[in-house]
Amino acid sequence: MANDNNPVSQAFELQRQALERSQKAMQQGIEFQQRLNEAMLSGVEGSAEASERGSEMTREAIHSTLDAIEGMVPEDEADFDQIREAIDQQFDAAEEATQEANEQALEFTEAGFENAESAAESYVESVDQQVDQLRQAHEDLEEQTLSFLEQTEAQLEKLQQEAEGTPFEGFEQLQTQMEELRERLSQ
């Protein structure tokens, strides 16, 4: 690339920097989403564990209550072993169903996050490729623009030399406009 002090080159550099910042912001957004997904997955796992602990605590509380009742009731009036067994069967069935549902929910959630992550990675790769192509096209355009400006300036200088000694108001006006354009671009 040409002179970095050239206002045109500076404008192109600012555009490239904006493009790079946008690309980085997009990547950070996707990384944030991945961290959020991981946190949600941990939450699902933690919820399943809490549910299991709650169920076990409830079972123990019912058994403690039965123990207390059994201590107050004469021995032959109720078969507390049979009641405990029925309660345990119900809790076992409920825990099994809950565990199965939790496993399915976890598998579904993991699969969804894996699919989302895979899609995000493909998207980032695609955007990176497109940004690289855009960056290259942008650099080519900058080179062409600078080359055009250099050629135009050279032609103007040549015209000035050829017109030396003759009044050439159009040239002076064009030269003034070029200087004004440079000043505006450098602001």
Side-chain angles (χ1 to χ4, degrees), residues 31-59:
E31 289 171 1
F32 173 77
Q33 183 62 47
Q34 289 172 336
R35 287 191 302 272
L36 182 62
N37 289 350
E38 290 170 4
M40 288 175 64
L41 188 58
S42 292
V44 169
E45 291 171 343
S47 175
E49 291 172 6
S51 174
E52 289 175 19
R53 284 192 304 269
S55 176
E56 191 57 38
M57 289 173 58
T58 302
R59 182 193 305 229

Side-chain angles (χ1 to χ4, degrees), residues 144-186:
Q144 291 171 4
T145 302
L146 292 174
S147 177
F148 171 76
L149 289 175
E150 288 173 7
Q151 290 173 4
T152 302
E153 287 177 346
Q155 288 175 353
L156 288 174
E157 288 175 10
K158 183 178 176 185
L159 283 174
Q160 185 180 17
Q161 289 172 356
E162 290 175 0
E164 197 169 295
T166 62
F168 194 73
E169 294 176 12
F171 172 72
E172 290 174 358
Q173 186 180 9
L174 183 59
Q175 189 175 18
T176 303
Q177 289 175 348
M178 288 289 288
E179 288 173 9
E180 288 174 2
L181 177 62
R182 283 183 183 219
E183 287 177 17
R184 277 189 258 149
L185 289 174
S186 67

Side-chain angles (χ1 to χ4, degrees), residues 118-152:
S118 177
E121 287 173 4
S122 295
Y123 176 73
V124 167
E125 285 178 24
S126 175
V127 168
D128 285 347
Q129 289 173 353
Q130 292 172 7
V131 167
D132 288 342
Q133 291 172 353
L134 178 61
R135 187 178 295 122
Q136 183 59 48
H138 191 263
E139 289 173 2
D140 292 346
L141 177 62
E142 179 184 9
E143 289 176 20
Q144 291 171 4
T145 302
L146 292 174
S147 177
F148 171 76
L149 289 175
E150 288 173 7
Q151 290 173 4
T152 302

Side-chain angles (χ1 to χ4, degrees), residues 15-33:
Q15 291 172 346
R16 275 192 294 277
Q17 289 174 1
L19 179 65
E20 290 170 2
R21 283 191 298 271
S22 296
Q23 183 181 16
K24 189 172 190 171
M26 181 208 51
Q27 290 172 338
Q28 289 173 339
I30 289 174
E31 289 171 1
F32 173 77
Q33 183 62 47

